[in-house]
Amino acid sequence: MAEQARRRRGGGGAARRAERGTLNIETAGVITRAIPDFELLDEEALSTIEEQAETVLAEIGVAFVENPAALALWREAGAEVEGEIVRLPRGLARTLCATAPSSFTQIARNPAKSVEIGGRNLVLAPVYGPPFVRDEGGRRYATMGDFETFVKLGHMSKWLHHSGGTVCEPTDIPVSKRHLDMLMAHATLTDKPFMGSVTEPSRAADSVAFADILFGGLDGRCALTNLVNINSPLTFDATMMGALEVYAKAGQACIVSPFIVGGAMAPVTVAGTLVQVLAEVMAGVAYSQLVRPGAPVIFGAFVTSIDMGSGAPTFGTPEAAQITYGAGQLARRMGLPYRSGGSFCGSKLPDAQAAYETANTLNGALLAGVNFMLHACGWLEGGLVADFEKFVMDADQLGALHKMARGVVADAEVLDAIREVGPGGHYLGAAHTQARFKDAFWRSELFDYKPYETWAEEGGRDTRALASARVKKLLAAYEPPAMDPAVREALDAYVATRKEELPDSMI
Amino acid sequence: MAEQARRRRGGGGAARRAERGTLNIETAGVITRAIPDFELLDEEALSTIEEQAETVLAEIGVAFVENPAALALWREAGAEVEGEIVRLPRGLARTLCATAPSSFTQIARNPAKSVEIGGRNLVLAPVYGPPFVRDEGGRRYATMGDFETFVKLGHMSKWLHHSGGTVCEPTDIPVSKRHLDMLMAHATLTDKPFMGSVTEPSRAADSVAFADILFGGLDGRCALTNLVNINSPLTFDATMMGALEVYAKAGQACIVSPFIVGGAMAPVTVAGTLVQVLAEVMAGVAYSQLVRPGAPVIFGAFVTSIDMGSGAPTFGTPEAAQITYGAGQLARRMGLPYRSGGSFCGSKLPDAQAAYETANTLNGALLAGVNFMLHACGWLEGGLVADFEKFVMDADQLGALHKMARGVVADAEVLDAIREVGPGGHYLGAAHTQARFKDAFWRSELFDYKPYETWAEEGGRDTRALASARVKKLLAAYEPPAMDPAVREALDAYVATRKEELPDSMI
């Protein structure tokens, strides 16, 4: 059916370009906030949390597991090391963190799409990590084909600034090799910036080598932003730290991110969770600066609540929002870029639950001052599923964040307009309206704004059905961005060589 | 089928009480914010808007249509009256508004459910005004039976503090008489506070007389909050002002509310719309204080954006949020309670679009400092439809606002907890968790938190299907609150007499 439709349209380049003409395939600039942050916690609460985090680091400590080199670095820096436990004298972590930049540029293959991460900016990247995908046909294990489809959809999403990383796990490719295919998809199917592999230090090294070829030598530039999860509570495992070491040494950015379901991996209170988040991030960021002072790094917080009845993580909840606001304040006080938020939801379907939970999270993240939002679209079922329909639904909503962040501009001509229209008139034809109506109001490219009768005649479709149609429309119009054939050849050669060298393995 | 199910369960009082045991039929106290407001606009923008609003009132003026008595009052107060146009010298409106209380109590039949409107409080009331309803069977004209069903659902909604007013238009009852049936439903099917009629001054008078009987004499107490829309731009019609006059003289509260689709009834910019909103509210509130100094009144703002393509009003948009934040700041600077927000959406179905748009609005309204939120649940299709499923979906989400507003409490014992668990442990069994887990995290009573497999076995239901089941469950367990038979008899007699006196009419 879809195949027929494609044939009927002719399928040639001209037809595709015509089709694309009705779609928006430009990429918006990153969000630069002209609005204040929402400061949920007062000074007293913030300094209490900071004081408690120092106590955690000094008295309880953090574990650097199976990593003697890290322990040596810590000892040298003045920490007290006992077995694998590292205790940091008060103030040490904060002092070490001071060399991390407050903002940095991640370059993209298309220079116009390079992003500045930090300050008043917000950079949006898609969902990361799900082993399953869902489309109108249901839920199934993700494949490399699905991965490529998501990268294409991301490329065509105006409000997405970043192509992300593991948009889904390509489970049909050996774990030992799939990072190479993922890098190739991001490098060739889009010209937006992307992420490297963290599942093994050697895969991080492959990512750096790959980026070096893609960019014709990195020359100290940051070309990869990489997700380094902390094994909360207070544990830094050798795999993730090994990846961090590779990236920090190469001047690539790491998101140092506690991964916390509150009540399970952190205290059951919001304030308690913030204490642990801060302690963990401070230790991780400090370690990155021990490895290489000045390495770009992001204060991460992936934190949500738990349903104490079922034990399931819950998303879009008020506690998750409070943590997102509070962690943003703590990150700003450290002068670090902040990663949090996303299209989080627990729902199994891209339905109303999914949308409530996602909107709760997206709105909070914008006002919380997030600088890098991973998972900004496509997340479903607690992160187990990357959903094609929800990807375009969420990506559309991200447009609203752009407009909201622009703030309110005083309008000197408003009195002329009100004078022109006067009591009882209407503004549709006013000169003030005519001069502004095109850009005055944000407009969804997905939702149905038609009259009820038209909508009913057209089948009475719900958002999910509209999204399904939009996925097909975008993919039919997709064209890869142009690439220098010599670069492509070099990337192909690198991947082929590494695939030869590496064993097939599912770990 | 539902009838069979009811019979099978026995249907007796004991069975109903047992069933009710599994449902939450308590009513939460009103939200009292322990969190700051989000101050979107800076001082310069706010004072520019205030200055421009004064210019609008002084130079352009507002129209009080077909209301010679109002014009006389204005003239006496020092306004310049020309035809039906009233121009207020700079400062006059603000001076007159100063006698309005910053906060007031609306009494409920159940004293525990009386609400304080203003200050740091947020009072939640259901959807108001739709001529249609929608349930799993589709969309149809609303009837008095639907009205009663919504009042019952509102009574059983823990997070709803207020029973509202015209939860839907009972189109099967003559317009001339339906206000009496609506008042009776609110007075008898729930013990929460409610609203009076505004469609005719005489119906407002009926509402006051009815409340006087219900409360055994009002004695200056406010028992009705009433929605008085301004006919934007800048026009105050005789019907709405007539209702306001009746209510203000009786010490009952009016929400003075511009009704604005930006770009149609106000300038197409956010700042321009705020200028007009402020001018209109100042004129309306000032007039209420001319009628009776000290009459309780609310600064209302029903404002949304427009799709310039189709002309349809759009909801949950960034511009609507910006206006909601800005109007809240203007209301606080006037020291008036603030009404805005609601479960706004343009969607025709209770789907993802509806939920995104609603969540965008609800989150904004909480942080905007709204004191009275009409339409807090059940709104669909731009307000044309009151939807049963969405009513319970939204009402569930209102619980999250309660928890969010409680803010973050510093946690002195957190260090003990982190010490107890240490690096690599888990918190589920910790004493700190056990002592707090019941109330630590907000939990939806609607959403599915089950594992994927269980959810799939149970039919793979979406939010709408879960909501449909919850509507049935709530209604099956509904019992009316007890009422003094003498009061009931007096109310019945009043309504019967008035129905005799009034003609059957559909205007």
Coordinates of all heavy atoms in Angstrom, one line a residue, chain A residues 36 39 59 139 233 235 264 269 272 276 307 319 322 348 351-353 356 360 363 393-394 397 403-404 411 414 419 424-425 427 442-443 448 450 452 463, chain B residues 36 59 139 233 235 264 269 272 276 307 319 322 348 351-353 356 360 363 393-394 397 403-404 411 414 419 423-425 427 442-443 448 450 452 463:
Chain A
P36 N 13.6 33.8 32.2 CA 14.4 33.4 33.4 C 14.2 31.9 33.7 O 13.3 31.3 33.1 CB 13.7 34.2 34.5 CG 12.4 34.7 34.0 CD 12.4 34.7 32.5
E39 N 13.3 29.2 39.8 CA 14.2 28.9 40.9 C 13.3 28.3 42.0 O 12.8 29.0 42.9 CB 14.9 30.1 41.4 CG 15.6 30.9 40.3 CD 16.9 30.2 39.8 OE1 17.4 29.2 40.5 OE2 17.5 30.7 38.8
E59 N 32.7 11.8 54.1 CA 32.5 10.8 55.2 C 32.1 9.4 54.6 O 32.5 8.4 55.2 CB 31.6 11.3 56.2 CG 32.1 12.5 56.9 CD 31.1 13.1 58.0 OE1 30.2 12.3 58.4 OE2 31.3 14.2 58.4
R139 N 5.0 -3.8 19.0 CA 6.2 -3.7 19.7 C 7.1 -4.8 19.3 O 6.6 -6.0 19.2 CB 6.0 -3.7 21.2 CG 7.1 -3.6 22.1 CD 6.5 -4.0 23.5 NE 7.3 -3.6 24.7 CZ 7.9 -4.5 25.4 NH1 8.0 -5.7 25.1 NH2 8.5 -4.1 26.5
P233 N 23.7 3.9 43.8 CA 24.3 5.0 44.5 C 25.8 5.0 44.6 O 26.4 3.9 44.9 CB 23.7 4.9 46.0 CG 23.4 3.4 46.1 CD 23.1 2.9 44.7
T235 N 28.5 4.8 42.9 CA 29.5 3.8 42.3 C 29.8 4.2 40.9 O 29.0 4.5 40.1 CB 28.8 2.4 42.4 OG1 28.5 2.1 43.7 CG2 29.8 1.4 41.9
A264 N 14.9 3.8 45.2 CA 15.6 2.5 44.9 C 17.1 2.8 44.9 O 17.8 2.3 45.7 CB 15.1 1.9 43.5
T269 N 13.2 10.8 49.3 CA 12.8 12.2 49.3 C 13.5 13.0 48.2 O 14.6 12.7 47.7 CB 13.1 12.9 50.6 OG1 14.6 12.9 50.8 CG2 12.4 12.3 51.8
G272 N 16.7 14.5 49.5 CA 17.7 13.5 49.7 C 18.3 13.1 48.3 O 19.5 12.8 48.2
Q276 N 22.3 13.3 46.9 CA 23.1 12.2 46.2 C 23.5 12.6 44.8 O 24.7 12.3 44.4 CB 22.3 10.9 46.3 CG 23.1 9.7 45.8 CD 22.4 8.4 45.8 OE1 21.7 8.1 46.8 NE2 22.4 7.7 44.7
D307 N 6.8 3.9 41.6 CA 5.5 3.5 42.1 C 5.8 2.5 43.2 O 6.1 1.3 42.9 CB 4.6 3.0 41.0 CG 3.4 2.4 41.6 OD1 2.9 2.9 42.6 OD2 2.8 1.4 41.0
E319 N 7.5 14.9 41.6 CA 8.8 14.8 42.3 C 9.9 14.8 41.2 O 10.9 15.4 41.5 CB 8.8 13.4 43.0 CG 7.8 13.3 44.2 CD 6.5 12.9 43.7 OE1 6.4 12.4 42.6 OE2 5.5 13.1 44.5
Q322 N 10.4 18.4 40.4 CA 11.1 19.1 41.5 C 12.6 18.8 41.5 O 13.4 19.7 41.7 CB 10.5 18.7 42.9 CG 9.1 19.3 43.1 CD 8.4 18.7 44.3 OE1 8.7 17.6 44.8 NE2 7.4 19.4 44.8
K348 N 2.6 2.5 27.7 CA 3.0 1.5 26.7 C 2.6 1.9 25.3 O 3.0 1.2 24.4 CB 2.3 0.1 27.0 CG 2.9 -0.7 28.2 CD 2.3 -0.3 29.5 CE 2.9 -1.1 30.6 NZ 2.5 -0.6 31.9
D351 N -0.2 7.4 23.8 CA -1.6 7.8 24.1 C -1.6 9.1 25.0 O -0.6 9.8 25.1 CB -2.4 6.7 24.7 CG -1.7 6.2 26.0 OD1 -0.7 6.7 26.4 OD2 -2.3 5.2 26.6
A352 N -2.7 9.3 25.6 CA -2.8 10.5 26.5 C -1.9 10.4 27.7 O -1.3 11.4 28.1 CB -4.3 10.7 27.0
Q353 N -1.8 9.2 28.3 CA -0.8 9.1 29.4 C 0.6 9.5 29.0 O 1.3 10.3 29.6 CB -0.8 7.7 30.0 CG 0.3 7.5 31.1 CD 0.5 6.1 31.6 OE1 -0.4 5.3 31.4 NE2 1.5 5.9 32.3
Y356 N 0.6 13.4 28.5 CA 0.6 14.2 29.8 C 2.0 14.1 30.4 O 2.6 15.1 30.8 CB -0.3 13.6 30.8 CG -1.8 13.8 30.7 CD1 -2.7 12.8 30.5 CD2 -2.4 15.1 30.8 CE1 -4.1 13.0 30.4 CE2 -3.7 15.3 30.7 CZ -4.6 14.2 30.5 OH -5.9 14.4 30.5
N360 N 4.5 17.2 30.9 CA 5.0 17.6 32.2 C 6.5 17.8 32.3 O 7.0 18.7 32.9 CB 4.5 16.6 33.3 CG 3.0 16.6 33.5 OD1 2.3 17.5 33.1 ND2 2.5 15.5 34.2
N363 N 8.0 20.7 29.7 CA 7.8 22.1 30.2 C 8.7 22.4 31.4 O 9.3 23.5 31.5 CB 6.3 22.3 30.7 CG 5.4 22.5 29.5 OD1 5.5 23.5 28.8 ND2 4.6 21.5 29.2
M393 N 5.5 13.0 17.2 CA 4.6 13.8 18.1 C 5.4 14.7 19.0 O 5.2 15.9 19.1 CB 3.7 12.8 18.9 CG 2.6 12.1 18.1 SD 2.0 10.6 18.9 CE 1.5 11.1 20.5
D394 N 6.4 14.1 19.7 CA 7.2 14.9 20.6 C 8.0 15.9 19.9 O 8.2 17.1 20.3 CB 8.2 14.0 21.3 CG 7.5 12.9 22.2 OD1 6.4 13.2 22.7 OD2 8.1 11.9 22.5
Q397 N 6.1 19.0 19.4 CA 6.0 19.8 20.6 C 7.2 20.6 20.9 O 7.2 21.6 21.6 CB 5.6 18.8 21.8 CG 4.2 18.4 21.8 CD 3.2 19.6 22.2 OE1 3.4 20.2 23.2 NE2 2.4 19.9 21.2
K403 N 9.5 28.6 20.9 CA 8.7 29.8 21.0 C 8.6 30.4 22.4 O 8.8 31.6 22.6 CB 7.4 29.6 20.4 CG 6.6 30.9 20.2 CD 7.2 31.9 19.2 CE 6.5 33.2 19.2 NZ 5.1 33.2 18.8
M404 N 8.4 29.5 23.3 CA 8.2 29.9 24.7 C 9.5 30.6 25.2 O 9.5 31.6 25.9 CB 8.0 28.7 25.6 CG 7.9 28.9 27.1 SD 6.3 29.8 27.5 CE 6.9 30.5 29.1
D411 N 5.8 45.9 22.9 CA 5.2 46.1 21.6 C 4.8 47.6 21.5 O 3.8 48.0 22.0 CB 4.0 45.2 21.4 CG 3.4 45.3 20.0 OD1 3.8 46.2 19.3 OD2 2.5 44.4 19.8
V414 N 1.4 48.8 19.9 CA 0.2 48.1 20.3 C -1.0 49.2 20.5 O -2.1 48.9 20.2 CB 0.4 47.3 21.6 CG1 0.8 48.2 22.8 CG2 -0.9 46.6 22.0
R419 N -6.2 51.5 19.1 CA -6.9 52.6 18.6 C -7.6 52.4 17.3 O -8.7 52.8 17.1 CB -5.9 53.8 18.4 CG -6.2 55.0 19.1 CD -5.2 56.1 19.0 NE -4.9 56.7 20.3 CZ -3.7 56.6 20.9 NH1 -2.7 56.0 20.3 NH2 -3.5 57.1 22.1
G424 N -15.3 46.8 20.6 CA -16.2 46.1 19.7 C -15.8 45.7 18.3 O -16.5 45.0 17.6
G425 N -14.6 46.1 17.9 CA -14.1 45.8 16.6 C -13.4 44.4 16.6 O -13.6 43.6 17.6
Y427 N -9.6 42.3 15.3 CA -8.2 42.6 14.9 C -7.7 41.8 13.7 O -6.6 42.0 13.2 CB -7.3 42.2 16.1 CG -7.3 43.2 17.2 CD1 -8.4 43.2 18.1 CD2 -6.4 44.2 17.3 CE1 -8.4 44.1 19.1 CE2 -6.4 45.2 18.3 CZ -7.4 45.1 19.2 OH -7.5 46.0 20.2
W442 N 2.9 30.2 17.4 CA 3.4 28.8 17.1 C 2.3 28.0 16.6 O 1.1 28.1 17.1 CB 4.1 28.2 18.3 CG 4.5 26.8 18.0 CD1 5.6 26.4 17.3 CD2 3.8 25.6 18.4 NE1 5.7 25.0 17.3 CE2 4.6 24.5 17.9 CE3 2.7 25.3 19.1 CZ2 4.2 23.2 18.1 CZ3 2.3 24.0 19.3 CH2 3.1 23.0 18.8
R443 N 2.6 27.1 15.6 CA 1.6 26.2 15.1 C 2.1 24.8 14.9 O 3.2 24.6 14.4 CB 1.2 26.8 13.7 CG 0.1 26.1 12.9 CD 0.0 26.7 11.5 NE -1.3 26.3 11.0 CZ -1.6 25.0 10.6 NH1 -0.7 24.1 10.7 NH2 -2.8 24.8 10.1
D448 N -4.5 18.4 14.4 CA -5.7 18.8 13.5 C -6.3 20.0 14.0 O -6.8 20.1 15.1 CB -6.7 17.6 13.5 CG -7.8 17.8 12.5 OD1 -8.7 18.6 12.8 OD2 -7.7 17.2 11.5
K450 N -8.7 21.5 12.0 CA -9.8 21.7 11.1 C -11.2 21.7 11.9 O -11.2 21.2 13.0 CB -9.9 20.5 10.1 CG -8.7 20.6 9.2 CD -8.6 19.4 8.3 CE -7.3 19.3 7.5 NZ -6.8 17.9 7.3
Y452 N -14.8 20.5 13.1 CA -15.2 19.1 13.5 C -15.7 18.3 12.3 O -15.3 17.1 12.1 CB -16.3 19.2 14.5 CG -16.9 17.9 14.9 CD1 -16.2 17.0 15.7 CD2 -18.1 17.5 14.4 CE1 -16.8 15.7 16.1 CE2 -18.7 16.2 14.7 CZ -18.0 15.4 15.5 OH -18.5 14.2 15.8
T463 N -4.4 11.6 17.3 CA -3.1 12.0 17.1 C -2.1 10.9 16.6 O -1.2 11.2 15.8 CB -2.5 12.6 18.5 OG1 -3.5 13.4 19.1 CG2 -1.3 13.5 18.3
Chain B
P36 N 7.6 29.2 44.6 CA 7.5 30.6 44.1 C 6.7 30.6 42.8 O 6.4 29.5 42.2 CB 9.0 31.0 43.8 CG 9.7 29.7 43.7 CD 9.0 28.7 44.5
E59 N -7.5 57.2 26.8 CA -7.7 57.8 25.5 C -8.6 57.1 24.6 O -9.3 57.7 23.8 CB -6.3 57.9 24.8 CG -5.4 58.8 25.6 CD -4.0 58.9 25.0 OE1 -3.8 58.5 23.9 OE2 -3.1 59.4 25.7
R139 N -20.0 11.9 20.1 CA -20.3 13.3 20.4 C -21.8 13.6 20.2 O -22.3 13.2 19.2 CB -19.4 14.2 19.5 CG -19.5 15.7 19.6 CD -18.8 16.3 18.4 NE -18.4 17.6 18.4 CZ -19.0 18.6 17.7 NH1 -20.1 18.3 17.1 NH2 -18.5 19.8 17.7
P233 N -13.0 43.2 22.0 CA -12.2 44.2 22.8 C -13.1 45.3 23.4 O -14.0 45.8 22.8 CB -11.4 44.8 21.6 CG -12.2 44.6 20.4 CD -12.9 43.3 20.6
T235 N -15.5 45.9 25.5 CA -16.9 46.1 25.5 C -17.6 45.3 26.6 O -17.3 44.1 26.8 CB -17.5 45.6 24.1 OG1 -16.9 46.3 23.1 CG2 -19.0 45.9 24.1
A264 N -7.7 38.0 17.1 CA -9.1 38.3 16.6 C -9.7 39.3 17.6 O -10.1 40.4 17.1 CB -9.9 37.0 16.7
T269 N 0.1 40.2 19.3 CA 1.3 40.0 20.1 C 0.9 39.7 21.6 O -0.1 40.1 22.0 CB 2.2 41.2 20.1 OG1 1.5 42.3 20.6 CG2 2.7 41.5 18.7
G272 N 0.8 43.0 23.5 CA -0.4 43.7 23.2 C -1.6 43.1 23.8 O -2.5 43.8 24.3
Q276 N -4.3 44.9 26.6 CA -5.8 44.9 26.5 C -6.5 44.1 27.7 O -7.4 44.6 28.3 CB -6.3 44.3 25.2 CG -7.8 44.5 25.0 CD -8.2 43.9 23.7 OE1 -7.6 44.2 22.6 NE2 -9.2 43.1 23.7
D307 N -5.0 29.9 15.1 CA -4.3 29.4 14.0 C -4.6 30.2 12.8 O -5.7 30.3 12.3 CB -4.7 27.9 13.7 CG -4.1 27.4 12.4 OD1 -3.0 27.9 12.0 OD2 -4.8 26.6 11.7
E319 N 2.4 30.9 23.3 CA 1.9 32.2 23.5 C 0.8 32.3 24.6 O 0.7 33.2 25.4 CB 1.3 32.8 22.2 CG 2.3 32.9 21.1 CD 2.5 31.6 20.4 OE1 1.7 30.7 20.5 OE2 3.5 31.5 19.6
Q322 N 2.6 32.2 27.8 CA 3.2 33.5 28.2 C 2.2 34.5 28.7 O 2.5 35.2 29.6 CB 3.9 34.0 26.9 CG 5.2 33.3 26.5 CD 5.7 33.6 25.2 OE1 5.1 34.2 24.3 NE2 7.0 33.3 25.0
K348 N -10.2 16.9 19.0 CA -11.6 16.4 19.0 C -11.8 15.2 19.8 O -12.9 14.7 20.0 CB -12.0 16.1 17.6 CG -12.4 17.3 16.7 CD -11.2 17.9 16.0 CE -11.5 19.0 15.1 NZ -10.3 19.7 14.7
D351 N -7.1 12.4 23.2 CA -6.0 11.6 22.8 C -4.7 12.3 23.2 O -4.7 13.2 24.1 CB -6.1 11.5 21.2 CG -6.1 12.8 20.5 OD1 -6.1 13.9 21.2 OD2 -6.3 12.8 19.3
A352 N -3.6 12.1 22.5 CA -2.3 12.6 22.9 C -2.3 14.2 22.7 O -1.8 14.9 23.5 CB -1.2 12.0 22.1
Q353 N -2.9 14.6 21.5 CA -3.0 16.1 21.4 C -3.6 16.7 22.5 O -3.1 17.7 23.1 CB -3.7 16.5 20.1 CG -3.9 18.0 19.9 CD -4.7 18.4 18.7 OE1 -5.0 17.6 17.8 NE2 -5.1 19.7 18.6
Y356 N -1.2 16.6 25.6 CA -0.1 17.6 25.5 C -0.6 19.0 25.8 O 0.0 19.7 26.6 CB 0.5 17.6 24.1 CG 1.4 16.5 23.6 CD1 1.1 15.7 22.5 CD2 2.7 16.3 24.2 CE1 1.9 14.7 22.1 CE2 3.5 15.3 23.8 CZ 3.2 14.5 22.7 OH 4.0 13.5 22.2
N360 N 0.4 21.2 29.0 CA 1.1 22.5 28.8 C 0.4 23.6 29.6 O 1.1 24.4 30.2 CB 1.1 22.9 27.3 CG 2.0 22.0 26.5 OD1 2.9 21.2 27.0 ND2 1.9 22.1 25.2
N363 N 0.4 23.0 33.8 CA 1.7 23.2 34.4 C 2.0 24.7 34.4 O 2.5 25.3 35.4 CB 2.8 22.5 33.6 CG 2.9 21.1 33.9 OD1 3.2 20.7 35.0 ND2 2.5 20.2 33.0
M393 N -9.5 11.8 33.3 CA -8.1 11.9 33.0 C -7.4 13.2 33.6 O -6.4 13.1 34.3 CB -7.9 11.9 31.5 CG -8.1 10.5 30.9 SD -8.5 10.5 29.1 CE -7.1 11.4 28.4
D394 N -8.1 14.3 33.3 CA -7.5 15.6 33.8 C -7.6 15.6 35.3 O -6.7 16.1 35.9 CB -8.4 16.7 33.2 CG -8.3 16.9 31.7 OD1 -7.3 16.4 31.1 OD2 -9.2 17.4 31.1
Q397 N -4.7 14.1 36.8 CA -3.5 14.9 36.7 C -3.4 16.1 37.7 O -2.4 16.5 38.1 CB -3.4 15.5 35.3 CG -2.8 14.5 34.3 CD -1.4 14.2 34.5 OE1 -0.5 15.0 34.4 NE2 -1.1 12.9 34.8
K403 N 0.9 18.0 44.6 CA 2.2 17.6 45.1 C 3.3 18.6 44.7 O 4.1 18.9 45.5 CB 2.5 16.2 44.6 CG 3.7 15.6 45.2 CD 3.6 15.3 46.7 CE 4.9 14.9 47.4 NZ 5.5 13.7 46.9
M404 N 3.3 19.0 43.5 CA 4.3 19.9 43.0 C 4.3 21.2 43.9 O 5.3 21.7 44.2 CB 4.0 20.3 41.5 CG 4.9 21.3 40.9 SD 6.6 20.6 40.7 CE 7.5 22.1 40.6
D411 N 15.7 17.7 54.3 CA 15.6 16.4 54.9 C 16.8 16.1 55.8 O 17.9 15.8 55.3 CB 15.5 15.4 53.7 CG 15.3 14.0 54.2 OD1 15.3 13.7 55.4 OD2 15.0 13.1 53.3
V414 N 18.7 12.6 55.8 CA 19.1 12.0 54.5 C 20.5 11.4 54.7 O 20.8 10.4 54.1 CB 19.1 13.0 53.4 CG1 20.0 14.2 53.6 CG2 19.4 12.4 52.1
R419 N 24.3 6.9 54.5 CA 25.3 6.1 55.3 C 24.8 4.7 55.4 O 25.6 3.7 55.3 CB 25.4 6.7 56.7 CG 26.8 7.1 57.0 CD 27.0 7.7 58.4 NE 27.8 8.9 58.3 CZ 27.3 10.2 58.5 NH1 26.1 10.4 58.8 NH2 28.1 11.2 58.3
P423 N 27.7 3.2 49.0 CA 27.9 2.9 47.6 C 27.5 1.5 47.2 O 27.8 0.6 47.8 CB 29.5 3.1 47.4 CG 29.9 3.9 48.6 CD 29.0 3.5 49.7
G424 N 26.7 1.5 46.1 CA 26.3 0.2 45.5 C 25.2 -0.5 46.2 O 24.7 -1.6 45.7
G425 N 24.6 0.0 47.3 CA 23.5 -0.6 47.9 C 22.2 -0.2 47.2 O 22.2 0.3 46.2
Y427 N 18.0 1.4 48.2 CA 17.2 2.1 49.3 C 15.9 1.5 49.6 O 15.2 2.0 50.5 CB 17.1 3.5 48.9 CG 18.3 4.4 49.0 CD1 19.3 4.3 48.0 CD2 18.5 5.1 50.2 CE1 20.5 5.1 48.2 CE2 19.7 5.9 50.3 CZ 20.7 5.8 49.3 OH 21.8 6.6 49.4
W442 N 3.8 11.0 44.4 CA 2.5 11.0 43.8 C 2.3 9.9 42.9 O 3.2 9.4 42.2 CB 2.3 12.3 43.1 CG 0.9 12.4 42.4 CD1 -0.3 12.6 43.0 CD2 0.7 12.1 41.0 NE1 -1.3 12.5 42.0 CE2 -0.7 12.3 40.8 CE3 1.5 11.8 39.9 CZ2 -1.3 12.1 39.6 CZ3 0.8 11.6 38.7 CH2 -0.5 11.8 38.5
R443 N 1.0 9.4 42.9 CA 0.7 8.2 42.1 C -0.6 8.4 41.4 O -1.6 8.8 42.0 CB 0.6 7.0 43.0 CG 0.4 5.7 42.4 CD 0.2 4.6 43.4 NE 0.3 3.3 42.8 CZ -0.5 2.7 42.0 NH1 -1.6 3.4 41.6 NH2 -0.3 1.5 41.4
D448 N -1.7 3.1 33.9 CA -1.3 1.7 34.0 C 0.2 1.7 34.4 O 1.1 2.1 33.6 CB -1.5 1.0 32.7 CG -1.2 -0.5 32.8 OD1 0.0 -0.9 32.9 OD2 -2.2 -1.2 32.9
K450 N 1.6 -1.3 35.3 CA 1.9 -2.7 35.4 C 3.0 -3.1 34.4 O 3.2 -2.4 33.4 CB 0.6 -3.5 35.0 CG -0.4 -3.4 36.1 CD -1.7 -4.0 35.7 CE -2.8 -3.7 36.7 NZ -4.2 -3.6 36.1
Y452 N 4.7 -4.8 31.1 CA 4.1 -4.9 29.8 C 3.3 -6.1 29.6 O 2.2 -6.1 29.0 CB 5.3 -4.9 28.8 CG 4.9 -5.1 27.3 CD1 4.3 -4.1 26.6 CD2 5.0 -6.3 26.7 CE1 3.9 -4.2 25.3 CE2 4.6 -6.5 25.4 CZ 4.1 -5.5 24.7 OH 3.6 -5.7 23.4
T463 N -5.1 5.0 27.5 CA -5.6 5.8 28.6 C -7.1 6.1 28.5 O -7.8 6.1 29.5 CB -4.9 7.2 28.6 OG1 -3.5 7.0 28.3 CG2 -5.0 7.9 29.9

